[in-house]
Amino acid sequence: KLVAQDNTQGNSFYALADGNSYPLLDAGQYQHNINIITYFGNTLVPSTEFTLSSPGESDVASFYPFITSWTVPRNETRYKPDSLTITQASFEAAYNDSLIITNYTSATTGKRKFKMVRSGYVIPFQVTLGPEAGKRGLLRIKSLLNSRSGYMIADIKVQK
């Protein structure tokens, strides 16, 4: 479970290396590990609604201003924009890295944020900067409350 910026009942910062999510107060201490950040981008024009981001994405500091003080270069995760090519059933059936690798190839141009996250999406991603650089994964959105105090519940599969 990852939450948007106004939700105090969870964490918005996720580290692939240890599989932990971190609260706002601890995020700076673990900045070198954090790869995925969530926020509700209603103040952006146009609104990005529930958004997957990373410390290296330009709009994330609008929602978490303290990130501007983090060490540069910041970790960067890129998300494949066309998330509808992988079914929930395919995600469930994946038992090795082949589904992950074939859905985020060297020809993929990922975005530093994935806007308008929806329940049912399976989103391929790759870490492009930071200690986990080169790692690819899939993030399946199981459920979503789409608001500033919202959250998403997701499963994540990461390349070994």
Side-chain angles (χ1 to χ4, degrees):
K1 178 179 179 179
L2 293 173
V3 303
Q5 66 272 20
D6 288 352
N7 186 323
T8 59
Q9 303 301 309
N11 303 325
S12 302
F13 303 85
Y14 185 79
L16 294 173
D18 59 14
N20 289 327
S21 63
Y22 295 97
L24 189 70
L25 294 175
D26 293 341
Q29 180 181 345
Y30 296 99
Q31 65 180 280
H32 58 282
N33 288 337
I34 293 173
N35 307 101
I36 297 172
I37 301 173
T38 52
Y39 62 80
F40 188 76
N42 65 315
T43 57
L44 300 174
V45 179
S47 173
T48 63
E49 297 187 10
F50 204 93
T51 302
L52 295 171
S53 182
S54 68
E57 189 261 312
S58 57
D59 290 327
V60 73
S62 299
F63 303 97
Y64 304 107
F66 63 88
I67 288 176
T68 60
S69 68
W70 286 12
T71 304
V72 176
R74 296 181 197 107
N75 291 350
E76 183 177 273
T77 301
R78 292 194 170 257
Y79 305 92
K80 185 177 175 185
D82 57 337
S83 67
L84 303 177
T85 58
I86 305 168
T87 66
Q88 296 271 335
S90 295
F91 180 90
E92 280 296 320
Y95 61 91
N96 61 29
D97 292 346
S98 63
L99 183 65
I100 295 169
I101 293 167
T102 59
N103 279 283
Y104 203 115
T105 65
S106 59
T108 301
T109 304
K111 305 287 184 178
R112 290 182 295 177
K113 66 182 166 194
F114 189 96
K115 308 176 241 180
M116 305 191 58
V117 172
R118 297 291 185 255
S119 183
Y121 281 10
V122 177
I123 304 164
F125 65 87
Q126 180 172 340
V127 178
T128 53
L129 282 176
E132 298 298 309
K135 286 264 185 184
R136 297 175 185 167
L138 299 172
L139 200 145
R140 175 179 65 162
I141 311 303
K142 294 175 76 172
S143 63
L144 177 80
L145 177 60
N146 199 20
S147 72
R148 286 181 60 93
S149 57
Y151 62 87
M152 71 172 198
I153 295 177
D155 288 330
I156 299 176
K157 292 187 178 187
V158 180
Q159 180 182 15
K160 291 185 181 189

